[in-house]
Amino acid sequence: MPSPRRIAIRVRRHFAPHVLGAALALFVLWTWLALGTSLLQPLDDLSRTHYLAAGSGAAQIWSAIAVVTLPGVLATVLVIVAGWAWRRRLRNLTAALVLSVLFSWGGNFLLKHLFTRPRPSSPLADVITHSGWSYPSGHMTMATTAALMVIATTTTTRQPSDVRYLARVLGGLGVALVACDRFVMNAHWPTDIVAGFLMGLVCASLASIVARVHMLPIPRRRIDQPQPRTCAIVWNPSKVIDRASFRRTVEYELEHGGWEDPLWMQTRPDDPGYSMTRTAIERGVDLVLVAGGDGTVRIVCSELAGSGIPLGIIPAGTGNLLARNLDIPLDEVAAARVAFGGIAKPIDLVKVTIDGDDSTAEHFAVMAGIGIDARIMENTRPELKKTVGSAAYFLAAAQEINAEPMDLTFQVDGQPPERRRAMMAVVGNVGILQGGLQLIPRASATDGLLDLSIASPRNHIDWAAMATRVMALRSERVNRVDQIQAQRVRISVAEEMPYELDGDTAGRATVFEAEVVPQALLLMQP
């Protein structure tokens, strides 16, 4: 097994922290000059002149601009963009957009009520936008924030250079237009407008830092390689929502990482990844990238077992459990950075043999089981998963709460068999479900062991105790639940039952055998 290795080195440009520090310092200094001294009074005296006549055509135009650029309107636009980003699994960008709205609106509200500065007199004082305190300008704060977040969006989504350039030009013109509007309408003192601009810089930069979104492309220092590196990309078209954005993200990493043109391979309903991964192995690629849900990831992991070829993951499913357990980002762009620039670390896989047929054995990376959990997966409607996400599993689980237990016999590491009348038997390589729920607290993908959990609840009280332990993230033992660590386990049931591998129902069986394969896969991790 090859030793862990770093695929690439990044040199990050800390743009947002520098902007935040400079903008915050300038805002504090400007506030002191504007409100604590008379040095900027000549600038504010410019607003003592009225530039528009009430009822004039020019006044109506500028008033319309003021309404269109209301902070609430611009905030709504950012929230809509956030929804678009969320749909495309750009979670960091989504968080940055939402936080920028909260910081801008909330920060401006607090500062206005802190400084309580009256507005200048204006012939357009009856316009809806001429209300409230003056310092800093809310229009200017939100306009600056919106412009910067649109620029961050085009950068994060790897838009073409002309689109990014257009966003910068239009953003700058939009901010300038709002500044002119606030000035000619006598809605704010000039120092209010400058303060709003600085406040917008602070809010956008802070949101970007908190959400780990970069406003500028990250430059890279390429590593000289003795031979060009090759990459194969296995992606599931039913899971990758925005194919153009996905391709731009991957191509950006490839281009700046010194990779050759990749081998793009799309999964099909009749082949969810088997032949694609085998082709990648035959080609001797240096990295396989998989983009899909837990099922696609499992198949690629299974085929790569023992190959020594590192795997990078861009999570694109509902659960994304392997990524969640190993701290691989769920954000598409951040996950791509890890896939191409993280560290290849070995993890265990678990080999599963059904009814003694070793020729059809497969591997899983997360969890597998037989019993009620497999029936839940079997009864979960795919269209419902797309609509409500993981809540679809709870709806399916509710139908199984009164199901009859199964007669089960299990044997670990060759020890004498034991019998249970159980609802489910789960074998875990890792133990965390969505939302941080710990189904198998001790499970680890690097300990060379598998974890067997057998649940034998007799009544609703036992079910409630199990659910409470899982939802409370507690690791203590619960009655009627066996938690066993081993290297090999054999489970047999009295009558054929469905079984699942990493969340996908894989068939029916009477004998379910699982064996851990230590350090079977190199996985790109942070």
Side-chain angles (χ1 to χ4, degrees):
M1 175 68 63
S3 60
R5 53 197 176 109
R6 185 175 293 277
I7 295 296
I9 294 177
R10 308 281 193 219
V11 177
R12 299 186 180 277
R13 181 186 299 170
H14 297 288
F15 174 74
H18 291 165
V19 172
L20 175 61
L24 188 58
L26 286 174
F27 179 81
V28 172
L29 176 62
W30 186 263
T31 299
W32 174 70
L33 292 173
L35 304 182
T37 73
S38 59
L39 293 175
L40 299 179
Q41 190 59 49
L43 180 62
D44 281 341
D45 286 342
L46 295 174
S47 285
R48 300 190 186 280
T49 301
H50 293 169
Y51 299 98
L52 298 172
S56 67
Q60 293 178 20
I61 292 174
W62 286 107
S63 296
I65 293 173
V67 171
V68 171
T69 58
L70 274 166
V73 173
L74 297 180
T76 301
V77 171
L78 289 179
V79 170
I80 292 173
V81 176
W84 171 87
W86 178 260
R87 284 276 300 163
R88 283 152 183 80
R89 296 188 174 87
L90 301 170
R91 289 169 169 80
N92 292 2
L93 178 60
T94 303
L97 289 163
V98 173
L99 287 174
S100 70
V101 172
L102 296 177
F103 292 160
S104 297
W105 211 325
N108 198 269
F109 176 84
L110 293 175
L111 291 175
K112 280 178 179 291
H113 285 78
L114 174 65
F115 297 121
T116 61
R117 188 186 199 186
R119 293 175 182 263
S121 65
S122 171
L124 306 177
D126 58 340
V127 176
I128 189 174
T129 60
H130 192 98
S131 61
W133 301 112
S134 186
Y135 190 93
S137 168
H139 272 72
M140 198 62 183
T141 299
M142 190 60 75
T144 303
T145 299
L148 288 173
M149 295 315 301
V150 168
I151 292 171
T153 298
T154 59
T155 301
T156 298
T157 55
R158 313 302 187 200
Q159 297 294 328
S161 57
D162 55 344
V163 175
R164 297 198 302 269
Y165 178 77
L166 182 62
R168 284 160 171 75
V169 171
L170 293 180
L173 291 176
V175 172
L177 180 65
V178 172
C180 291
D181 176 82
R182 299 286 83 195
F183 178 72
V184 300
M185 290 185 65
N186 296 104
H188 287 283
W189 305 99
T191 51
D192 301 340
I193 298 171
V194 175
F197 173 75
L198 295 174
M199 182 66 179
L201 285 177
V202 169
C203 294
S205 301
L206 181 60
S208 298
I209 292 171
V210 172
R212 294 175 294 177
V213 167
H214 298 269
M215 294 186 187
L216 292 179
I218 304 174
R220 290 157 172 79
R221 175 164 57 85
R222 289 171 57 172
I223 302 174
D224 293 332
Q225 295 289 328
Q227 294 181 346
R229 293 176 295 170
T230 57
C231 174
I233 299 152
V234 181
W235 63 286
N236 186 337
S238 68
K239 299 295 185 179
V240 177
I241 296 174
D242 191 334
R243 302 181 186 184
S245 176
F246 166 70
R247 193 175 185 102
R248 284 196 303 268
T249 296
V250 173
E251 288 179 342
Y252 180 87
E253 297 295 332
L254 290 168
E255 178 185 354
H256 291 81
W259 296 80
E260 287 189 334
D261 290 340
L263 181 63
W264 291 90
M265 295 182 289
Q266 180 176 315
T267 65
R268 306 186 305 270
D270 63 325
D271 187 348
Y274 294 104
S275 66
M276 298 81 184
T277 311
R278 291 167 190 161
T279 299
I281 296 172
E282 292 170 1
R283 297 284 185 89
V285 299
D286 297 293
L287 175 72
V288 173
L289 177 71
V290 59
D294 288 327
T296 307
V297 171
R298 182 194 67 78
I299 289 169
V300 176
C301 287
S302 181
E303 292 299 316
L304 283 179
S307 69
I309 299 175
L311 174 68
I313 298 177
I314 295 184
T318 303
N320 305 312
L321 294 181
L322 184 59
R324 292 176 189 273
N325 277 271
L326 299 180
D327 295 324
I328 295 172
L330 301 183
D331 177 80
E332 181 180 280
V333 174
R337 293 196 193 109
V338 171
F340 288 99
I343 301 175
K345 303 176 184 178
I347 67 167
D348 306 334
L349 295 178
V350 179
K351 178 182 175 182
V352 173
T353 305
I354 299 300
D355 292 334
D357 187 359
D358 196 62
S359 65
T360 61
E362 293 196 63
H363 298 77
F364 70 85
V366 180
M367 300 179 196
I370 187 168
I372 190 173
D373 61 318
R375 289 204 298 264
I376 290 172
M377 304 302 173
E378 191 176 50
N379 294 332
T380 301
R381 293 159 47 195
E383 62 273 15
L384 192 60
K385 284 174 60 178
K386 291 183 179 179
T387 305
V388 300
S390 58
Y393 294 116
F394 291 97
L395 296 177
Q399 303 173 21
E400 300 290 338
I401 193 68
N402 291 317
E404 285 294 319
M406 58 185 172
D407 292 320
L408 174 150
T409 301
F410 70 95
Q411 186 177 18
V412 296
D413 290 341
Q415 297 178 12
E418 298 185 45
R419 298 180 182 275
R420 293 288 186 277
R421 188 159 171 78
M423 293 298 293
M424 67 177 181
V426 176
V427 177
N429 190 41
V430 294
I432 299 177
L433 303 175
Q434 289 170 269
L437 301 179
Q438 295 183 355
L439 181 63
I440 310 176
R442 293 189 297 170
S444 168
T446 59
D447 62 1
L449 297 171
L450 57 78
D451 289 70
L452 173 63
S453 179
I454 299 178
S456 309
R458 292 174 298 184
N459 49 48
H460 289 79
I461 295 177
D462 290 340
W463 277 114
M466 291 167 52
T468 299
R469 193 269 295 168
V470 170
M471 296 181 68
L473 311 182
R474 298 200 302 263
S475 59
E476 71 268 15
R477 181 181 175 85
V478 176
N479 289 336
R480 313 297 299 175
V481 177
D482 295 285
Q483 299 277 6
I484 302 167
Q485 288 190 315
Q487 293 181 322
R488 183 182 179 90
V489 61
R490 184 180 190 274
I491 302 169
S492 60
V493 292
E495 58 183 61
E496 198 174 59
M497 297 288 294
Y499 69 93
E500 56 89 9
L501 303 175
D502 284 358
D504 285 341
T505 303
R508 305 180 73 85
T510 55
V511 179
F512 181 98
E513 296 177 271
E515 180 181 4
V516 67
V517 184
Q519 299 189 354
L521 178 70
L522 282 176
L523 183 65
M524 301 302 296
Q525 300 179 56

